Amino acid sequence: MTELIIKNGFVYDPLNRIDGEKMDISIRDGKIVESVKEKANGINASGMVVMPGGVDIHTHIAGGEVNSGRLLRPEDHVKDVEVKTALTRSGVGYSIPSTFTTGYRYSKMGYTTLMNPSMAPLEARHTHEELADIPMVDKAAYPLLGDWWFSLEHIRDGLIEENAAHIAWMLQATRGYAIKIVNPGGLEAWGFGRNVHSLDDVVPHFNITPREIIRGLCKVNRLLNLPHTIHVHTNNLGKPGNYVTAIETMKCVEDLAQGDKPVIHITHIQFCAFKGSDWSTLSSGAGEISKYVNNHNHVTLDMGQVIFSNTTTMTADGPFQYGLYNITGNKWVNHDVETETSGGIVPFKYKRSSAVHATQWSIGLEIALLIEDPWKILMTTDHPNGGPFTSYPKILAWLMSRAAREITLSKINKRARKKSLLPSIDRELSLYELAIVTRAGQAKALGLKPKGHLGVGADADVAIYNIDPQRLDISKEYKVARKAFKKAAFTIKDGEVVVKDGEIVKPVTGKTYWIDVSTSMPHEINDDIKKKFREYWTVEYENYPLPDSFIHSSFPIPVKAEV
Amino acid sequence: MIILDPKRAFRFPIEAKNISPDIFAKKSSKEIAALQMWEGNRKGALGDLFNIKNDSGSPSEEFTIKIEGDASKLRNIGARMSMGHIVVDGDAGMHLGEDMSGGTITVAGNAGSWAGSKMKGGTIEIKGNAGDYIGAPYRGSTKGMNGGKIIIHGNAGYEVGCFMRNGLIQILGDVGLFAGIHMSNGTIFVQGNSEGRAGAQMINGKIVICGHTPVMPTFTIDSIKPKVKVDGEKIEGPFYRFIGDLADNGNGKLFVSKTKNPHLSPYEKYLE
């Protein structure tokens, strides 16, 4: 029985409505408890901020496309090398760090839970092998199911309940956490060199529209009682004028919401908030999107903030990446995952001097600041698409300080600066709100009950930062706060101190979460499914699901479905 | 002048980026001897590997480092140097003068691959042969040689001047496949033969081949020139002047000796 007590810290625990209260946090056997014995090991956190461990709802850290990205970019690694120490393994950064380095760097910033958002079902084995090699954090992956043939057929034929049973099987087969939808219909079309351009375009050979796919899977998600909503990367991503598509996507499931519970998560919203008819007239659609989100409760978003850096873009959205390749003329990878999905990788440099890139930078922050309720907009960079996750402290500084925004604003492209809405926004996020956008809100959107808070029974994942809220005005001294968020004073994972003063002091392995849905309706393995696997997949149906032995530190979350 | 005399024949690669006039100039002999060197997976000091002699020449002489004997296991000699001279008596290892911006390096023997990789200025002269990727960027990068001069008296290997952006590479001997691949500017001057595919995917710049060479089908003949200018000097021809690589919409100039390449004479009919 190991006990630990964090004393006298200023606790920010938004899920339990604790806003900077000076209190002790007691930990026993990896869980938060009411109290511990006097002689328990203590951490003196006086003059420091105590928050739940960070949660990242959307970060590409493992899997086929991440690894292809690593192979594509030796010049990205050579500039950022981590040397082996007595405790940690060697590795490389920068935009696509190697597995161990990914875990270490997240942990140093106080993060304890990561969600890998795009796992081609066929590459689930690869993804889980890499996840197993990412230390220090708990993790999960979302299988890409928006262009899954059986779903398209079921939804077209109105067989929502049958599809729910099938998706339950898929989540089990791939050890997935949520339903990920990328450019619904577009990826299937990309198999034939085409794309879909609106919610009502017909997907070739399937006679179904993106709208029907999103609505169908949203209904499936509800029938299965999955903790997270559908996780959607919209159609027309990265195209001027696409904010209309983003709003239509949110609208199309409006009627499926029950009460205030969200039913859709639109990811990296910055990339789908472009206004204008072409790149030269590009402006921000942040106003329209935030207005919609402020008036509706069925949606959560994450930022997909752009950082001015040399990064590597990677999505399952093959046609989008092809467009990006055409713009940059850079080397690229086009990946076709058999019948299931696609993928693309293009190295990309976001420049301050570019009107488009600077506008993108502005859009991300505008949305985050214009949406009044921080529970609806979560902080991400869509790592590594907008920039590497190691830049998170920079984003926090922009969110907490108008002065920090103004300094960057003064350095960006003139045309972009003129169009930017940022000068009209005074809002500065408090530590309480920052705790929401980096952990509490993320855990709530994910439905991850033991994460994102410090109430009794929660996992003892804690981040302690060297910020004294009574002495430090974070909006003025954002540089101090930024530094503190870069190197956590302590990171505690499952009740153990794993990081001290921004350095790893104890390497640990994390759990892999997946959703184990029990359905009363059996998943029918008919001959048609078997025949399709035999004819169109390289893997037979029998060999398709991952065996239990394959997942290291497997942690299924049982869920009872309505079908 | 500092003279480095190897204490023994080296068996493992040595990380020698500390052997640079910029680093030596600010240090006493004692400090030089203490400079860190990796030999294989072992960390050591420069003084463990070399006898260091300080032969102070005339004070006007620029700072010079001389390596006596075989330096073929030494990698990154003169990396990032900006001034002074390095003289290697024998062979030099890989990555010679990587990222250098000034000064000169002279090698009496052969040099390994990646000599002058990412270099921006200065001169590298290799009296023997050189390996592959001379003046190339780091793997995966598109930022190749951007200035300076590399002169190779012997032969050079594959992909010489890969992604070259400026400067001059002169090869007195023969060159392997893909000389000037991806180059966007600068000059590659080959006085011997080329194995072929010179200028593949070149966007701009100039390649001159005085010996025999095949020419890629994605190059189109433009004219016959009696002579061609290289680094201010006029080279007597005549030369076929090709434009390419058209597969990449390139406008690079490939000059190929007419007399040494009779197999290219059918191209002449397109000039009428």
Side-chain angles (χ1 to χ4, degrees), chain A residues 74-75 78 331 349, chain B residues 138-141 143:
Chain A
E75 81 281 13
V78 73
K331 55 186 172 180
K349 195 170 178 185
Chain B
Y138 188 81
R139 275 264 192 253
S141 166
K143 291 172 183 163

Side-chain angles (χ1 to χ4, degrees), chain B residues 96 112-126 128-137 143-192 205-210 229-231 235:
Chain B
L96 177 78
S113 297
W114 306 95
S117 161
K118 298 191 276 180
M119 85 186 265
K120 298 176 194 76
T123 305
I124 298 179
E125 190 168 5
I126 299 159
N129 302 325
D132 307 320
Y133 304 106
I134 306 303
K143 291 172 183 163
M145 175 169 176
N146 198 16
K149 208 187 269 190
I150 302 177
I151 302 159
I152 299 161
H153 291 261
N155 307 325
Y158 295 151
E159 301 200 21
V160 167
C162 172
F163 280 112
M164 185 167 179
R165 299 195 287 176
N166 212 339
L168 169 73
I169 300 180
Q170 184 179 358
I171 298 151
L172 278 71
D174 300 340
V175 73
L177 290 169
F178 293 109
I181 183 169
H182 295 295
M183 76 188 277
S184 57
N185 212 338
T187 307
I188 298 178
F189 177 33
V190 182
Q191 283 169 271
K206 191 196 275 182
I207 302 176
V208 180
I209 299 170
C210 298
K229 218 171 175 183
V230 173
D231 199 26
I235 311 297

Side-chain angles (χ1 to χ4, degrees), chain B residues 64-86:
Chain B
T64 304
I65 301 172
K66 189 173 178 193
I67 306 176
E68 290 186 332
D70 179 25
S72 60
K73 294 286 180 195
L74 266 60
R75 298 188 177 174
N76 287 77
I77 299 172
R80 308 183 73 89
M81 70 187 265
S82 65
M83 54 79 149
H85 307 291
I86 294 181

